[in-house]
Amino acid sequence: MIKSVAIIGAGAAGAIAASAFKAENYFDRIRVFERRETAGGTWIYDTEPLPAFLVRPGKLAGDIDPPLKIPDLDMKSPQTTPHDDQERYSQTPIYSSLTTNVPDIAMSFSDERFAYGPFAPHYVARQYIENYFSRHKTDSFLVLNTTLEDLSRLPPTEEDGLDRWRLTLRKFDAVRHVDVWWQEEFDAIVLANGHYSVPYVPFVKGLEEYTAKFPGRIVHSKLYRAPLIYSFKRVLVVGNSASGHDVTNELVSAARLPVYQSRRSPSRWDGDTPPPGIEWKPVIREYMADTGTIVFEDGSHLDDIDTVIYCTGYQPSFPFWNEAANGRPLWDYAAGKLIKGYWHTFFQDFQSLAVVGMPRVLTFRSFEYQAIALARLWSGRNTVMLPAVEEQEIWERERAARKKAQGKKFHDIPWDDGETLEWLGGLFEIAGLGTLKGEGRIPPALDKELIWAVEHLKKYPEPGKGRVKEGDKKTYKETKDSGWVVVEREHRDTLSFI
């Protein structure tokens, strides 16, 4: 009997989860806990990302974002303590010019499109999420400026029942400059807290000493907002994923040329030669703190670099997870995956705990399938049951082995081999239809228009398109309109840019 649900995070995943659970007209209590001042999640734009966090090369999220010390208080009623200003990495990585990478038809939820074209500016995505709470009358579920600091499993209240959960929550009272603490209990938890908060900087020989010798010279792209503060500076960008591509291209307009970009391998939007104003460099081999020299794998080096911007991604962080109370960790950092997970959503050993928004796939639209399947399952209205735990274990074990052999990430779901369709189809089958009285949402169809948009609308033009290559039987046709590109060609991984 699951009658109360806590949703952690009010970004896109939290917004659709709140809507899906409300639509069931079954649950007695639904709450969405959000540590920021508004809904929007990673799409909230922080104009001044302060304080500048310390770069810690090679460190895992557990070291960078440790749990907050829980005060020894009687929390039967709210209690106050002096404000704890430990860095919680709650600010977002949104830079001024950022737009969505996914065409709006595939990124927005099925019942409402973005109020924009295919690739919307970041503020449109934030407004969309805020409005979604209001449109579905789930804004009353929101508990803002509130951080989950501890999530502990409680024993079932009846024999053969499900685990319940105790949340220890902290709200910063800015007027009194104190933290207000209290606890609440729920039957089930949806983790929708995202994974673009804790920045990752890989270990490189000498980097730690270099950082200490030259404070502020090494930064992460989470702090990047616009190119002007790098005017006339010698800048090295590390990484060439979507953010590395954007940051490097923007810096050409302000930084001292060339802008250097360290790449492990070419990206799908790289040509044979770098664009004007950019010089490619291989992977960094060593930082020389005594001289300030940066040495690359090919033996070349750079001196007098003013700023190194690491565009090397983020790590999932769950500092609230009480490992002692819950019997195990939640995330395996060595394998890069949820522990004892199934279908990127469920857990083999915690039937009242789930995740929405983990895999790299169609973002908002895929969250919708997860949220609806969960709401139907926990209301007892699902059409298909989850497989036995033994089958779930086999799925996890075989996927981990296969992805390791392929050199791929566990939670990356490719489009071109049909895996995305298989995954969404499985969630579709679990959810089934709503009731005759209209209770419950129905997962959307993956129609031809959406599939065409995913396969043809590209934010980043790819080199070599728009011309027939000698000896190649295929014709590549490129058309442009309003800044986006239609490319007709087969791709190895259509969703690689997400």
Side-chain angles (χ1 to χ4, degrees):
M1 291 287 292
I2 293 177
K3 300 297 287 186
S4 60
V5 179
I7 300 167
I8 311 304
I16 192 61
S19 172
F21 279 91
K22 178 179 182 290
E24 293 295 332
N25 194 27
Y26 172 86
F27 302 96
D28 294 335
R29 185 163 61 110
I30 303 170
R31 293 288 181 270
V32 182
F33 296 101
E34 169 56 50
R35 62 184 180 177
R36 294 298 301 265
E37 65 282 359
T38 182
T42 195
W43 294 99
I44 298 172
Y45 177 58
D46 294 305
T47 57
E48 188 177 13
L50 295 174
F53 50 81
L54 180 66
V55 171
R56 303 181 64 185
K59 297 295 184 181
L60 300 178
D63 301 314
I64 299 172
D65 186 26
L68 203 68
K69 180 176 174 55
I70 307 297
D72 186 15
L73 300 171
D74 178 8
M75 294 192 189
K76 294 179 180 178
S77 60
Q79 303 289 318
T80 61
T81 63
H83 175 57
D84 191 322
D85 59 359
Q86 175 181 319
E87 172 62 52
R88 300 317 303 274
Y89 299 92
S90 61
Q91 292 188 316
T92 70
I94 299 295
Y95 42 94
S96 179
S97 64
L98 181 67
T99 62
T100 61
N101 287 350
V102 184
D104 67 314
I105 186 175
M107 184 163 179
S108 53
F109 301 127
S110 62
D111 57 346
E112 186 173 358
R113 292 280 288 270
F114 279 11
Y116 206 83
F119 303 107
H122 58 80
Y123 55 82
V124 171
R126 179 189 60 79
Q127 292 167 353
Y128 177 87
I129 295 169
E130 284 186 297
N131 292 340
Y132 205 81
F133 276 99
S134 299
R135 184 177 184 276
H136 288 269
K137 297 180 173 60
T138 54
D139 46 0
S140 61
F141 300 165
L142 288 168
V143 185
L144 300 174
N145 291 307
T146 299
T147 306
L148 173 62
E149 299 295 0
D150 184 271
L151 179 62
S152 295
R153 180 178 56 171
L154 298 174
T157 56
E158 58 186 40
E159 188 175 355
D160 296 329
L162 300 179
D163 294 323
R164 302 183 71 252
W165 302 89
R166 183 182 63 220
L167 284 66
T168 301
L169 302 154
R170 178 175 66 108
K171 180 189 287 285
F172 174 51
D173 184 335
V175 175
R176 296 183 291 167
H177 205 73
V178 297
D179 290 332
V180 181
W181 296 80
W182 76 99
Q183 291 179 334
E184 295 188 31
E185 295 181 5
F186 289 86
D187 296 331
I189 304 294
V190 177
L191 300 178
N193 56 305
H195 44 91
Y196 294 111
S197 294
V198 179
Y200 176 70
V201 174
F203 173 80
V204 180
K205 183 180 179 181
L207 178 54
E208 196 165 350
E209 295 80 5
Y210 188 93
T211 302
K213 177 74 175 294
F214 304 102
R217 185 175 291 188
I218 307 292
V219 298
H220 190 276
S221 60
K222 180 170 182 174
L223 297 179
Y224 177 84
R225 290 298 178 269
L228 287 180
I229 65 170
Y230 301 100
S231 295
F232 308 110
K233 293 185 177 181
R234 286 166 55 87
V235 182
L236 168 65
V237 178
V238 180
N240 66 333
S241 62
S243 60
H245 172 85
D246 289 350
V247 170
T248 304
N249 283 347
E250 281 199 353
L251 287 172
V252 171
S253 67
R256 180 179 170 184
L257 301 183
V259 175
Y260 299 97
Q261 184 183 31
S262 172
R263 314 179 311 154
R264 184 174 297 279
S265 59
S267 71
R268 58 183 289 150
W269 44 76
D270 287 339
D272 297 329
T273 58
I278 297 173
E279 181 177 328
W280 289 334
K281 303 294 290 183
V283 172
I284 299 172
R285 185 175 70 195
E286 183 177 2
Y287 285 88
M288 312 293 290
D290 54 343
T291 62
T293 300
I294 301 173
V295 183
F296 298 90
E297 282 191 340
D298 63 355
S300 64
H301 67 275
L302 290 174
D303 299 309
D304 302 324
I305 287 291
D306 297 303
T307 304
V308 179
I309 304 176
Y310 269 88
C311 301
T312 45
Y314 301 84
Q315 297 182 87
S317 182
F318 307 94
F320 50 78
W321 180 257
N322 191 322
E323 186 175 330
N326 302 331
R328 65 167 179 83
L330 188 68
W331 183 265
D332 183 341
Y333 284 97
K337 57 181 283 295
L338 292 165
I339 296 174
K340 293 184 179 294
Y342 175 69
W343 219 239
H344 312 284
T345 308
F346 313 97
F347 287 95
Q348 301 159 24
D349 51 348
F350 298 129
Q351 296 180 52
S352 57
L353 178 72
V355 175
V356 172
M358 177 55 66
R360 180 187 66 80
V361 68
L362 288 181
T363 62
F364 288 25
R365 184 60 64 92
S366 63
F367 304 167
E368 185 171 355
Y369 286 85
Q370 288 181 290
I372 294 174
L374 271 175
R376 305 297 290 167
L377 182 68
W378 286 353
S379 65
R381 293 168 173 158
N382 51 300
T383 301
V384 176
M385 296 294 294
L386 295 182
V389 172
E390 292 77 14
E391 291 184 46
Q392 297 180 35
E393 292 173 345
I394 292 172
W395 174 86
E396 180 189 24
R397 186 166 57 250
E398 290 183 348
R399 181 177 183 83
R402 183 172 68 254
K403 291 297 179 180
K404 183 177 181 180
Q406 295 172 346
K408 304 291 185 180
K409 295 180 180 179
F410 184 91
H411 292 292
D412 282 2
I413 304 179
W415 174 273
D416 300 86
D417 63 0
E419 188 176 329
T420 297
L421 297 180
E422 178 188 3
W423 180 63
L424 296 179
L427 296 170
F428 189 98
E429 290 181 1
I430 291 170
L433 299 176
T435 68
L436 181 62
K437 296 181 180 179
E439 295 157 323
R441 292 181 59 140
I442 300 173
L446 208 62
D447 57 27
K448 292 181 179 179
E449 184 183 5
L450 186 149
I451 293 174
W452 185 92
V454 170
E455 295 180 348
H456 293 83
L457 299 186
K458 305 299 177 185
K459 176 181 174 180
Y460 301 111
E462 296 181 42
K465 303 299 169 60
R467 63 179 183 269
V468 178
K469 297 182 179 180
E470 186 176 353
D472 195 337
K473 297 180 180 179
K474 294 182 180 179
T475 300
Y476 305 140
K477 184 171 63 178
E478 178 180 288
T479 61
K480 297 185 179 180
D481 184 19
S482 302
W484 50 274
V485 178
V486 178
V487 180
E488 297 183 5
R489 186 188 184 188
E490 294 178 0
H491 303 289
R492 184 178 180 182
D493 182 2
T494 296
L495 302 182
S496 64
F497 54 84
I498 298 179

